[in-house]
Amino acid sequence: MPTIIDKKSFVDEITRYRDMDLDNLINGFTPIDIERVLSKKNLSEIDYLALLSPAAEPHLEKTARSAKKITVQNFGNVVSLYTPLYLSDFCINQCLYCGFNVSNSLIRKKLTLDEVEREAQSIAETGLKHILILTGESRKHSPVSYIKDCVTILHKYFTSISIEIYPLDEDEYTELIAAGVDGVTIYQEVYNPEIYSRVHISGPKSNYNYRLETPDRASRAGIRTINIGALLGLDKFYSEAFFTGIHAAYLQKTYPEIEVSISIPRLQPHLGDFTEIYSIDDKKLVQYMLAIRLFLPRVGIALSTRESAVLRDNLINLGVTKISAGSTTVVGGHTSEEKRTAQFEISDNRSVTQMKKLLLKKGYQPVLKDWQTVCEI
Amino acid sequence: MKPLIIDNKEISNRLFIGTGKFSSKNIIPDVINSSGIQVITVALRRVDFDADDENILKHVPKHCILMPNTSGARNADEAVRIARLARATGCGNWIKIEVINDNKYLLPDNAETIKATRVLVEDGFVVLPYMSPDLMAARKLVEAGAAAIMPLGSPIGTNRGLKTKELVRILIEEIKLPIIVDAGIGKPSEAAEAMEMGASAVLVNTAIATASDPVKMAEAFSQAVKAGRTAFISGMPETSLTAGASSPLTGFLR
């Protein structure tokens, strides 16, 4: 582990970009700029922005060919599978776009440890070895000690455990890593600070900088993998895509021992009435994915079941390295038939077996195990 | 042709292959059998001991020499743990040490690799360390008891060929252990080039696994490795940039 001399974080780094006039820059690229970028080996941040611009749209097919080539070269003909496990939907945040929003009235639930074990058994039967556990933000209902207890149980069934929970302090990450957590997923949701304040009305999540620094804290604590992302639709696609890419590049550079991935979630319908959404069509989503791949050849790209089966099938060829399967966004959803509120609607209900078949058909080896947390033996 | 001997095992096919990037595990036996591959490396991180059809080890024919690798290890300690787990789960006592803490270039950490080699050799493993071709580091690996040295030709997955050629040449000249060029070999001609220089073997993964026809590509690599080896033992003539009279400097002595 490298010694951290000063605790600088992405909060400092991002200030370098705040004065950039992205709206103006994005329309200034020409077809020649795009041709030049596509012929380069190492892309700069401005090259990345160029690929997100309207000028790059007519070049999507050519970009896609490069993206596929780079992905296969770096990751092989291989896609990893994982599934989310929702532990608790208690939440004290008021995030306008989320079904678990504190002001939405729903009957909340937190899994007992017995229920966690049953969910784990049910998921393990599918053969999956990688699990992503999720909670809402409530230190009262799902404190770190509860997460740790759950991790101890899950460790019996899975070789890799990632958490997508509220942001923690560095020493809390150290504690969970010792318990067997090896990955942290944390979405900034929206990198634009004004919009961030507008959609995160109350609760601890309204602290923009604390959330932005989360990957730094987890990395310093010794995590193996970090997955970041912007919830696409909360601001203009190119600026959110740009900042996500800059964030990933910063993490790769600052913590070279960490495997960095990006998720590309689009806002989905949910309980509540937030509708102030920038529409991101499939074409823009693809443009974003391809631009990431060319800018950051070694970064993982994760695709969740927020997207439809048809779209996911097509995106697999373009640079995806991790894909969820057999997903449910409901607490207890892997074992219970009970009708409960979901965090968001999922659009692809296919099982692990179905996804494996599909990947093989498309010429990709489905990988159910790609890490093994090894304790002292 | 004399076989390569490591750990008293005779290896007549000097093409070693990796298994991590194939589009399906089912193709691995065909690749191995059609080219008579003997040494296979498998990442322990990918081995699912609980599953039957998912377990990659089930796809490796019994006659092969299994060389599990510590892919994913970020320091010596993690590499040692992975190696011990590999042995404890019946993968034998060969271990290819990979210690990488740079996820952008996937270049190995020689210092941590030397540390892990020391510990694992003492522990009775046959250690084959993957390394950046540096003579001093290679000497330390020899001292530590490595069974072979595996310098990279180019960063993993790049298919860029023998970019480290001059450094690998120095290892071949100075190090008594077998030198196995690992990573970066993108074409059969590059594998032949490494063998012509006197490398003892080459390890290829990406270039075979991501070819349109991996079985045929493995055959091509296997033939190239054989040709390169034959050339080496036949005594390659030195190359010269200019045509020259036979003895322009000392002709007067005749």
Side-chain angles (χ1 to χ4, degrees), chain B residues 21-203:
Chain B
K21 288 181 168 175
F22 287 99
S23 60
S24 159
K25 286 189 276 252
N26 297 328
I27 200 171
I28 295 172
D30 293 343
V31 170
I32 292 171
N33 293 329
S34 79
S35 300
I37 309 276
Q38 285 171 276
V39 182
I40 320 289
T41 187
V42 172
L44 192 86
R45 67 192 283 178
R46 288 271 177 87
V47 179
D48 186 351
F49 299 101
D50 300 334
D52 271 347
D53 58 324
E54 293 300 334
N55 189 340
I56 194 154
L57 299 179
K58 299 259 157 71
H59 300 266
V60 177
K62 288 281 170 283
H63 67 268
C64 289
I65 299 171
L66 188 64
M67 177 169 66
N69 69 63
T70 65
S71 160
R74 298 181 298 180
N75 51 48
D77 182 50
E78 286 183 352
V80 167
R81 287 190 207 184
I82 293 172
R84 287 180 178 155
L85 180 69
R87 188 166 64 183
T89 46
C91 297
N93 69 336
W94 281 41
I95 192 82
K96 178 187 156 198
I97 300 185
E98 261 185 64
V99 179
I100 292 175
N101 51 32
D102 184 299
N103 272 295
K104 197 167 164 191
Y105 299 99
L106 298 180
L107 289 169
D109 182 330
N110 282 353
E112 291 292 307
T113 303
I114 294 164
K115 257 196 253 175
T117 302
R118 263 189 213 119
V119 176
L120 291 170
V121 168
E122 263 183 35
D123 225 1
F125 282 90
V126 176
V127 180
L128 301 98
Y130 170 61
M131 54 105 64
S132 278
D134 171 83
L135 178 61
M136 306 314 139
R139 283 185 176 142
K140 285 179 186 157
L141 288 167
V142 175
E143 274 168 35
I149 306 286
M150 305 186 75
L152 60 96
S154 299
I156 295 176
T158 57
N159 290 341
R160 295 184 64 200
L162 264 180
K163 294 287 172 203
T164 58
K165 191 170 178 180
E166 292 311 313
L167 296 167
V168 171
R169 185 196 302 281
I170 293 170
L171 297 192
I172 292 171
E173 279 166 15
E174 300 301 323
I175 301 290
K176 291 274 177 285
L177 294 176
I179 302 296
I180 301 164
V181 177
D182 179 2
I185 302 287
K187 302 185 191 82
S189 55
E190 292 158 357
E193 186 186 5
M195 296 306 292
E196 285 167 6
M197 272 167 63
S200 297
V202 297
L203 191 149

